[in-house]
Amino acid sequence: MVQLDRYSGVPVYLQLEEGIRLRIQRGELTPGQSLPTVRRMADEVGVNPNTVARVYRELQREGLLRLERGLGTFVTESAAERVLAPEEIEPIEKLCREVIALSRRAGMALAELGRLLEALWKEDRDESS
Amino acid sequence: MVQLDRYSGVPVYLQLEEGIRLRIQRGELTPGQSLPTVRRMADEVGVNPNTVARVYRELQREGLLRLERGLGTFVTESAAERVLAPEEIEPIEKLCREVIALSRRAGMALAELGRLLEALWKEDRDESS
Amino acid sequence: MVQLDRYSGVPVYLQLEEGIRLRIQRGELTPGQSLPTVRRMADEVGVNPNTVARVYRELQREGLLRLERGLGTFVTESAAERVLAPEEIEPIEKLCREVIALSRRAGMALAELGRLLEALWKEDRDESS
Amino acid sequence: MVQLDRYSGVPVYLQLEEGIRLRIQRGELTPGQSLPTVRRMADEVGVNPNTVARVYRELQREGLLRLERGLGTFVTESAAERVLAPEEIEPIEKLCREVIALSRRAGMALAELGRLLEALWKEDRDESS
DNA sequence: GTGGTCTAGACCACG
DNA sequence: GTGGTCTAGACCACT
């Protein structure tokens, strides 16, 4: 469902949250679809049910999920607004794969590439402001 | 010096560490160059001196920094091995900027782009293994 | 019949119970009158029939309702003791409406007004004891 | 600090939340002031520290509190916007005390008065819409 | 069997 | 010592 990295320093609940958000954006989870139950998801990704519940609740507050007591957890209809069109997401993924190939060849670690991306993201933001 | 994000969930000391590592890789900090004192760096980035000291110590253990009592902290000569050649880093940065522009246009957040990169990085690794 | 607030945190069955009690007190449900069947009430307020049945049973235990198999559910005669006289309830409602108007104008939420009322209720009780 | 009712059915974390919100609105907690530490508050009101932490976090998200790791928890400056002026809050409290006196005399319970207030609040809202 | 609340208690990041 | 994350596990509300 979502792959976690227990040693990245990023809290697992944030990784799960981002992972679910991303799967919705990429259209892998579609509006109306049900997510694994809190307990099942907890088993799948190997965390405590409370941690999953916290994530689901946060995503509910954000309007992406709908938690129904006694029924389960579902992607809301309004989440559709967040789904990226294939023509938006595909070029991004293509470029990302190129970046990854180059970074690997240069001996960079994922964390370092992440930091680079972050630094450039903020430069870019600061320039445009 | 290094820009921190207090709300990303990543521990400040990891961000600092990665940030310094990255600046060395990009050649912005060159072998022999001195870093700000622990206190000055602490002021600059707004954290407790203990935190900076911890980071410097860790980077020393890693061989990137050299702490000279009474003099200050310096990038080691051996750190040169980690510096990326301009022809390595430049195309990576160029592609990253393109990715960032596209992601922004598509309404993705930095954290989401980071998760995407991570997912693709791991896909790629799994395929090649 | 009774309006529920799914997001107040108060269990639905307690809201239903209090709601029916209040309608009896206000004289909107009079002794002898029939209530909707369990299923009809469940449909009306959008909960599971089990939940309504539980409420009716509890109010029967309390002596406010009488469940007659095959006939339906009725307000008991003895419930009359709980009905407030118009001269009792009307000034209360009038003041409540004033309080509500003032609170709205001051930007308070219902939950906050409720907490205020509760705090003052307890102050008052503690003083008189 | 905040008085809880363990038997009202309202989750204690909501009671705590509302209680703190109310104390800020009434000006009993002023911007810049520090709240009891998570653990101290937990002791005071007799709940688990996690529960207090959840409340503080929620109020932070709402902009009323500022949680500083290693330092403590504080009322934000922007919370000032939520503080009610004495000329706003005083007439409300005065009327509430009258309502309480009348309700007591009529034999109503706090929960019933609360339900009445809620019913009238929603009537009022529906009329004005 | 689903989500929701709460407890007890461990370990971590930070000042 | 402060807040933050996470676990294990109990009990409750609801379908």
Side-chain angles (χ1 to χ4, degrees):
Chain A
M1 190 69 201
V2 170
Q3 204 173 351
L4 303 183
D5 179 352
R6 316 285 301 208
Y7 302 104
S8 68
V10 184
V12 296
Y13 82 91
L14 279 181
Q15 293 184 48
L16 234 193
E17 225 179 281
E18 273 306 326
I20 295 174
R21 236 180 246 125
L22 181 64
R23 295 197 61 154
I24 292 174
Q25 284 191 313
R26 294 176 78 183
E28 292 172 26
L29 289 172
T30 59
Q33 191 174 347
S34 80
L35 273 81
T37 69
V38 169
R39 290 160 174 86
R40 179 146 171 52
M41 175 67 100
D43 273 6
E44 254 182 50
V45 300
V47 302
N48 188 281
N50 280 329
T51 304
V52 176
R54 172 178 183 175
V55 168
Y56 280 12
R57 221 178 301 128
E58 172 61 27
L59 290 170
Q60 174 177 48
R61 240 186 28 89
E62 202 175 306
L64 286 179
L65 300 185
R66 180 167 29 92
L67 281 68
E68 301 197 14
R69 189 181 292 214
L71 287 178
T73 300
F74 307 85
V75 179
T76 61
E77 301 305 321
S78 64
E81 299 167 15
R82 299 278 293 272
V83 179
L84 297 178
E87 63 268 24
E88 286 179 311
I89 188 67
E90 274 162 14
I92 294 176
E93 294 195 9
K94 185 168 165 297
L95 284 174
C96 279
R97 287 183 214 277
E98 289 182 42
V99 166
I100 288 167
L102 289 178
S103 306
R104 280 234 159 85
R105 215 168 303 148
M108 288 180 82
L110 171 58
E112 288 156 353
L113 178 53
R115 275 299 299 182
L116 176 60
L117 204 71
E118 191 183 335
L120 295 175
W121 180 284
K122 283 169 182 167
E123 267 179 28
D124 184 58
R125 188 196 52 199
D126 295 345
E127 277 164 21
S128 41
S129 73
Chain B
M1 187 66 204
V2 169
Q3 204 175 354
L4 303 183
D5 180 351
R6 318 285 301 202
Y7 302 103
S8 70
V10 184
V12 169
Y13 82 93
L14 280 182
Q15 293 185 46
L16 236 190
E17 229 180 277
E18 274 302 329
I20 296 175
R21 237 180 245 124
L22 180 65
R23 295 196 61 152
I24 292 175
Q25 283 191 313
R26 293 175 78 183
E28 292 173 24
L29 290 172
T30 58
Q33 191 174 345
S34 80
L35 272 79
T37 66
V38 168
R39 279 176 199 166
R40 178 143 173 53
M41 175 69 100
D43 272 7
E44 249 180 56
V45 300
V47 301
N48 191 285
N50 286 334
T51 305
V52 176
R54 172 179 179 178
V55 167
Y56 280 11
R57 227 176 301 123
E58 174 59 27
L59 289 170
Q60 176 180 40
R61 229 181 40 80
E62 197 178 318
L64 285 178
L65 298 185
R66 177 168 31 92
L67 280 66
E68 299 196 19
R69 182 173 302 215
L71 284 177
T73 301
F74 304 86
V75 179
T76 60
E77 303 307 322
S78 63
E81 299 166 15
R82 299 280 291 273
V83 179
L84 296 177
E87 63 270 23
E88 284 179 311
I89 189 66
E90 273 163 14
I92 294 176
E93 292 194 11
K94 184 167 165 298
L95 284 175
C96 279
R97 287 183 212 276
E98 287 182 45
V99 167
I100 288 166
L102 289 178
S103 305
R104 280 237 159 83
R105 213 167 306 147
M108 288 181 82
L110 171 58
E112 287 155 354
L113 178 54
R115 274 299 296 180
L116 176 60
L117 203 72
E118 189 183 336
L120 296 175
W121 181 283
K122 283 170 182 166
E123 266 180 30
D124 184 58
R125 188 195 53 198
D126 295 347
E127 278 164 19
S128 42
S129 71
Chain C
M1 188 67 203
V2 170
Q3 205 174 352
L4 303 183
D5 180 352
R6 318 285 302 202
Y7 303 102
S8 70
V10 184
V12 170
Y13 81 94
L14 279 182
Q15 293 185 47
L16 236 191
E17 229 180 277
E18 274 302 330
I20 295 174
R21 237 180 244 123
L22 179 65
R23 297 195 60 152
I24 293 174
Q25 283 192 313
R26 294 174 77 184
E28 292 173 24
L29 289 171
T30 58
Q33 191 174 345
S34 79
L35 273 79
T37 65
V38 168
R39 280 177 198 165
R40 178 141 172 55
M41 175 68 100
D43 272 7
E44 250 181 56
V45 300
V47 301
N48 192 285
N50 286 333
T51 305
V52 176
R54 171 178 179 178
V55 167
Y56 279 11
R57 229 177 300 123
E58 173 60 25
L59 289 170
Q60 177 180 39
R61 231 182 39 81
E62 195 177 320
L64 286 177
L65 298 185
R66 176 167 33 90
L67 281 66
E68 300 196 16
R69 182 173 303 214
L71 284 178
T73 302
F74 305 86
V75 180
T76 60
E77 303 307 320
S78 62
E81 300 167 13
R82 300 280 291 274
V83 179
L84 297 177
E87 62 269 25
E88 286 179 311
I89 188 68
E90 275 163 13
I92 294 176
E93 293 195 11
K94 186 168 165 297
L95 284 175
C96 279
R97 288 183 213 276
E98 288 182 44
V99 167
I100 287 166
L102 288 179
S103 306
R104 279 238 160 82
R105 213 167 306 148
M108 287 181 83
L110 171 57
E112 286 155 356
L113 178 55
R115 275 297 297 181
L116 176 61
L117 202 73
E118 190 183 334
L120 297 175
W121 180 284
K122 283 170 182 166
E123 267 180 29
D124 184 56
R125 189 197 52 200
D126 296 346
E127 277 164 20
S128 41
S129 74
Chain D
M1 189 69 200
V2 169
Q3 203 175 352
L4 303 183
D5 180 352
R6 316 285 302 205
Y7 303 103
S8 68
V10 184
V12 296
Y13 82 91
L14 280 181
Q15 294 184 46
L16 233 191
E17 226 179 280
E18 272 307 324
I20 294 174
R21 239 181 243 124
L22 181 63
R23 296 197 61 154
I24 292 175
Q25 284 191 314
R26 294 176 78 183
E28 293 172 26
L29 289 172
T30 58
Q33 192 174 345
S34 80
L35 272 81
T37 69
V38 168
R39 290 160 174 86
R40 180 145 171 52
M41 175 67 100
D43 272 5
E44 254 181 51
V45 301
V47 302
N48 188 282
N50 279 329
T51 304
V52 175
R54 174 180 181 173
V55 168
Y56 280 13
R57 219 177 303 128
E58 173 60 27
L59 290 170
Q60 174 178 46
R61 262 196 342 193
E62 203 175 305
L64 285 179
L65 300 185
R66 180 166 31 92
L67 282 67
E68 301 198 12
R69 189 180 292 214
L71 289 178
T73 300
F74 307 84
V75 179
T76 60
E77 301 305 322
S78 63
E81 300 168 14
R82 299 278 293 271
V83 179
L84 298 178
E87 62 268 26
E88 286 179 310
I89 189 68
E90 274 162 16
I92 294 175
E93 293 194 10
K94 186 167 164 298
L95 284 175
C96 279
R97 287 183 214 278
E98 289 182 42
V99 166
I100 287 166
L102 289 178
S103 306
R104 279 235 160 84
R105 213 167 306 147
M108 287 180 83
L110 172 58
E112 286 155 355
L113 178 54
R115 274 299 296 182
L116 176 59
L117 203 72
E118 190 183 335
L120 296 175
W121 180 284
K122 283 169 183 168
E123 266 178 31
D124 185 57
R125 188 197 52 197
D126 295 347
E127 276 164 22
S128 42
S129 70

